[in-house]
Amino acid sequence: MYLPSKPMKYGLKIHYIYNTYIYCGKGTYSLKDVTDEDKRFSIPTQAVIRLCKPIFGSNRNITGDNWYFSIELIDYLFKNKLTYVGTMKKNKREIPKEFLPSKTRQVGSTLYGFTSNKTLISKVPKKNKAVIMISSMHHCIQDDDGLLEINAYYNNTKSGVDAVDEKCSKYCCSRRTQRWPMALFYRFVDMCSINADIIHQSCANADRLDRIDFLKLLAKQLYKPLLCERSQKTNLPRELKAGMCRILKLAPEATADAQEILPRNQRKYCSICDPKLERKTVYLCVQCNKPICLQCSKKICVQCIENVEDS
């Protein structure tokens, strides 16, 4: 999709992080996903029904923008014990003429309309402008603070998709690719990391971590089992195996003659350098007792050496 008004102009629009699907045009909906009864609705209404079916009967609320709105959608959701709050396009035939933008309406004025299970409001934020909203959840006009309850609720719940897009763009694992399946996979990984962070923060005994710290911890827990398994392979290059041991903070495996003290007249090849260099040394590592040259070693004080030996 191409959305010039969004920070990420090109990409896949994710409807909801709980239940998702990829819209591929007219052939997106099949007999398995949408019943014959649902096909009589418009495409936006079918999209909402398809995404909300797992929560039918749960008495939750659905917040949507003016593209998804329709009276038939509100009635269908209300029949399945779901409420709806959202904005409306000005060209809907259900809107009375008095609710449309007009030069005679004062700035800040609001009109209200009620049915048995719907509430319609039309607010004038600017001259010749009108914001029309509908709700099957609210039946009162104002809250305790004197604000429009429908408007306040919509502003608090409308940014779910935008918040997910913002989080995915801030810390993203995607890489440049020309394959859409890989781009979709990267997007799913980002969404799963957001879900994992929300679940972690909801635990009572969990440590409160910033999202970047949580992602680092999550990545470490994902790669550590595989890294431990691979580090046990005997046919890996020594440099690669030593790097794995440093990341996992594990002592490299000692060889059979690791405990031997090398005489000055007997030198061995460095265990870290490339074998092609044929670099010999008489020094041994104080921790693993493997031969190591001075170029591959670091300076350490006597006290630290004693602490390593005691541990």
Side-chain angles (χ1 to χ4, degrees):
M1 299 187 67
Y2 174 68
L3 302 173
S5 61
K6 297 293 183 181
M8 305 295 291
K9 299 183 184 300
Y10 293 93
L12 298 169
K13 181 179 179 181
I14 304 299
H15 290 264
Y16 183 55
I17 200 171
Y18 171 74
N19 186 19
T20 63
Y21 71 91
I22 302 301
Y23 180 73
C24 303
K26 294 182 180 180
T28 301
Y29 304 100
S30 61
L31 295 176
K32 181 180 178 181
D33 299 320
V34 181
T35 61
D36 295 336
E37 181 183 359
D38 298 337
K39 287 185 178 180
R40 60 186 176 89
F41 300 130
S42 61
I43 295 297
T45 301
Q46 293 183 36
V48 178
I49 294 174
R50 183 179 183 182
L51 293 173
C52 296
K53 278 188 176 181
I55 59 173
F56 277 177
S58 61
N59 295 318
R60 288 184 170 90
N61 180 74
I62 306 300
T63 301
D65 60 7
N66 53 19
W67 190 77
Y68 295 99
F69 164 79
S70 64
I71 295 295
E72 57 186 9
L73 173 62
I74 295 180
D75 295 336
Y76 188 90
L77 295 177
F78 190 81
K79 183 176 65 175
N80 290 277
K81 297 182 179 181
L82 293 177
T83 58
Y84 182 89
V85 176
T87 55
M88 299 177 61
K89 290 184 178 181
K90 309 300 187 300
N91 59 355
K92 296 295 182 180
R93 64 177 182 270
E94 295 86 359
I95 302 176
K97 294 182 179 180
E98 294 79 7
F99 284 65
L100 296 175
S102 175
K103 296 180 180 180
T104 59
R105 296 186 60 183
Q106 297 181 359
V107 177
S109 62
T110 307
L111 294 178
Y112 308 93
F114 301 94
T115 63
S116 59
N117 60 352
K118 304 180 191 67
T119 301
L120 182 68
I121 65 172
S122 175
K123 185 177 180 180
V124 182
K126 298 180 181 179
K127 190 175 181 180
N128 298 332
K129 298 289 184 180
V131 178
I132 304 175
M133 304 182 66
I134 192 169
S135 172
S136 60
M137 175 183 179
H138 305 86
H139 300 287
C140 58
I141 299 176
Q142 296 178 347
D143 57 7
D144 298 335
D145 299 330
L147 301 175
L148 293 176
E149 187 175 2
I150 297 177
N151 193 8
Y153 184 86
Y154 177 79
N155 291 334
N156 292 333
T157 57
K158 69 178 181 178
S159 58
V161 176
D162 293 335
V164 172
D165 292 339
E166 181 181 359
K167 290 181 179 180
C168 290
S169 60
K170 188 174 183 180
Y171 300 112
C172 183
C173 69
S174 64
R175 298 293 181 268
R176 184 175 181 179
T177 178
Q178 296 182 351
R179 296 183 296 165
W180 276 108
M182 285 301 300
L184 184 60
F185 173 76
Y186 291 141
R187 187 67 165 184
F188 283 160
V189 172
D190 293 334
M191 294 167 60
C192 290
S193 66
I194 295 174
N195 276 347
D197 187 19
I198 294 174
I199 295 174
H200 175 78
Q201 298 295 338
S202 63
C203 296
N205 299 327
D207 297 333
R208 292 295 180 261
L209 301 175
D210 294 336
R211 185 160 176 259
I212 183 62
D213 296 332
F214 174 79
L215 292 177
K216 290 180 180 179
L217 179 62
L218 178 63
K220 183 177 180 181
Q221 293 178 351
L222 290 175
Y223 74 71
K224 189 173 181 180
L226 299 176
L227 206 61
C228 291
E229 180 181 356
R230 194 182 181 194
S231 63
Q232 302 299 324
K233 297 183 180 296
T234 58
N235 57 348
L236 290 178
R238 284 179 291 183
E239 292 184 1
L240 180 59
K241 197 167 185 179
M244 291 181 180
C245 293
R246 285 195 299 269
I247 294 175
L248 299 173
K249 297 181 180 180
L250 298 176
E253 297 180 358
T255 56
D257 56 347
Q259 301 298 330
E260 296 181 0
I261 300 176
L262 297 179
R264 288 289 179 178
N265 56 357
Q266 292 183 357
R267 298 182 301 169
K268 287 192 174 182
Y269 291 106
C270 178
S271 60
I272 296 180
C273 294
D274 191 349
K276 295 180 180 180
L277 298 177
E278 296 183 354
R279 187 173 292 161
K280 292 186 176 182
T281 181
V282 295
Y283 299 102
L284 299 177
C285 178
V286 295
Q287 186 172 358
C288 64
N289 289 331
K290 286 188 176 182
I292 183 172
C293 65
L294 295 179
Q295 294 186 7
C296 299
S297 61
K298 292 184 179 180
K299 295 182 180 180
I300 186 172
C301 64
V302 179
Q303 184 178 1
C304 293
I305 295 177
E306 293 176 355
N307 293 335
V308 172
E309 293 176 352
D310 294 339
S311 61

